[in-house]
Amino acid sequence: MKQMTQPMLLACASLCLALAAGAAGAQTTTDYAGEQARAIKALSERDVQGLLQGQGAGLAKAAELNGYPGPAHTLELQEPLGLTPGQAAATAALMQEHKRRARELGAALVEAERRLDALFAERRADVAAVQHATHEVALLQARLRAEHLTTHLTQTALLNADQVRRYAELRGYAAASPAASTHKHH
């Protein structure tokens, strides 16, 4: 076997030292590090506030991105959409009622997550309790999402096809608005 030259030995030694240093300094923390201090481990404070305020957090994307306007953006765009006073009033009422229901469901969801977290924090978690608690969380998540999605259905019914099409344009979805092409004129 051929002998290693001094430069080769130095390069090899340097590589070994670099690998050893990297291994010694390798992090064993996860993306969750620091989250153990949260009041509800599965929800950030921002998540909790959003739920309590009735924010959508993307729950209505299936409607929004398939051409079903939502009331918040319809109200923001009422002038370029040419909403009639009746449409504007109906949209404002829809938004107010939707926010009330979304806040109510959001608060219930936060409380359900708090109960699930407590099962583990208090070392009371067992299979039956976890299944019950996660079922409750999932049901509330489904109800909240349905609230956001059905609000878009109601809003779309308040508009005519031209307004639905214009909404898509104003929101930057122009080409993809299947609901606008099948929506009836009022």
Side-chain angles (χ1 to χ4, degrees), residues 15-142:
L15 179 61
C16 288
L17 285 173
L19 288 172
Q27 289 189 347
T28 57
T29 60
T30 71
D31 292 343
Y32 299 159
E35 294 179 7
Q36 70 276 12
R38 290 179 176 179
I40 301 172
K41 307 306 182 262
L43 299 174
S44 70
E45 188 56 36
R46 185 177 179 180
D47 295 334
V48 170
Q49 289 308 309
L51 288 165
L52 295 177
Q53 293 170 8
Q55 295 173 355
L59 293 174
K61 276 187 181 180
E64 177 76 16
L65 298 178
N66 279 297
Y68 293 83
H73 298 302
T74 297
L75 287 171
E76 291 168 4
L77 300 169
Q78 65 182 305
E79 193 172 304
L81 290 175
L83 294 188
T84 66
Q87 286 176 314
T91 297
L94 172 64
M95 186 66 195
Q96 184 177 9
E97 184 58 22
H98 163 66
K99 280 293 195 184
R100 183 194 63 74
R101 289 188 306 261
R103 283 191 296 265
E104 188 177 283
L105 287 166
L109 178 54
V110 167
E111 188 52 40
E113 285 282 4
R114 189 180 320 279
R115 287 191 298 273
L116 174 61
D117 191 83
L119 288 175
F120 288 93
E122 298 166 7
R123 300 289 193 243
R124 297 181 294 111
D126 62 32
V127 172
V130 169
Q131 286 178 340
H132 175 76
T134 55
H135 178 77
E136 183 180 4
V137 166
L139 182 59
L140 287 163
Q141 288 171 330

